[in-house]
Amino acid sequence: SNEFIRGRTLRLVAKIMIPDILENLIHAINENISHRHFYVRRNALMCLYSIYQHMWPEFLENSSNDIYQQLLNENDISTKRNAFIVWFCIDQEEAINYLKTVLQGSDDNVSELGDIFLLSVIEALRKMCKGDPSQKPRLMNAIFIIAQSTSPSVLYECANSITQLTSSPAAVKV
């Protein structure tokens, strides 16, 4: 019942690397994605991310809809970032489509999305560009939109990503 204990327990569960134990706990982890307190939701999402990273993506098949709904409805920026990271790992194309919708809807003020969310988006886009160079033009447009932010850290990461991904003088000038 205590949010702090529940969140800390989820952090402990994230360190368990035994599939038989995790298989029994996955339902409880999924229930915590929609908990009323953001600390519990944030840790539940990172627990799922840890499970995904350790080569058990089949455990997350039933969680994808819950994660997407959390991404759409979340108000806490760090929890939204965690949901985006997990969603990006599960389904990159759907995550990019979501990102396209969000960035088009907030052309005027990208900074409202929050620094930590935008930094994780930039990192995900950079990884995707390096993994699949044919996606560069499409993903570079998203980086250029994010570069309209007023945050110095976001601007720095955008500039760093642009110089890593392209040597085009026009892009480097931007």
Side-chain angles (χ1 to χ4, degrees):
S1 61
N2 184 324
E3 289 86 9
F4 179 74
I5 292 174
R6 193 179 280 228
R8 295 299 293 180
T9 303
L10 286 163
R11 291 177 82 164
L12 174 68
V13 169
K15 295 178 182 181
I16 296 173
M17 300 300 142
I18 303 167
D20 294 336
I21 295 174
L22 288 174
E23 191 173 11
N24 294 327
L25 295 175
I26 202 74
H27 180 67
I29 296 168
N30 285 334
E31 286 178 357
N32 285 308
I33 292 174
S34 59
H35 192 270
R36 63 183 166 84
H37 200 273
F38 68 89
Y39 182 73
V40 176
R41 294 190 305 265
R42 183 184 316 155
N43 285 304
L45 289 163
M46 289 318 292
C47 185
L48 290 175
Y49 180 67
S50 176
I51 291 169
Y52 185 85
Q53 275 188 317
H54 292 96
M55 304 301 203
W56 297 302
E58 63 273 3
F59 288 161
L60 301 183
E61 291 172 355
N62 297 331
S63 307
S64 63
N65 191 35
D66 293 336
I67 294 167
Y68 183 67
Q69 289 304 316
Q70 193 61 36
L71 182 61
L72 292 175
N73 300 327
E74 186 59 50
N75 293 327
D76 180 56
I77 298 204
S78 60
T79 307
K80 189 174 196 108
R81 175 203 58 197
N82 292 355
F84 178 77
I85 291 170
V86 176
W87 184 248
F88 185 80
C89 289
I90 293 173
D91 191 353
Q92 287 185 351
E93 282 304 313
E94 287 299 318
I96 295 299
N97 289 339
Y98 164 79
L99 186 61
K100 183 180 177 183
T101 304
V102 168
L103 290 177
Q104 286 176 348
S106 64
D107 277 343
D108 298 334
N109 199 358
V110 176
S111 298
E112 288 178 3
L113 295 173
D115 294 356
I116 58 174
F117 181 75
L118 291 175
L119 290 172
S120 65
V121 167
I122 293 168
E123 181 182 347
L125 293 174
R126 186 171 42 225
K127 284 180 185 178
M128 195 168 180
C129 283
K130 287 183 179 180
D132 186 8
S134 67
Q135 298 288 330
K136 267 188 194 178
R138 183 175 76 143
L139 300 177
M140 290 294 284
N141 288 336
I143 293 174
F144 288 135
I145 292 171
I146 294 171
Q148 297 171 4
S149 173
T150 57
S151 168
S153 59
V154 172
L155 292 174
Y156 176 78
E157 284 301 318
C158 284
N160 189 23
S161 297
I162 290 169
T163 56
Q164 283 181 10
L165 297 173
T166 186
S167 59
S168 167
V172 172
K173 185 177 180 179
V174 169

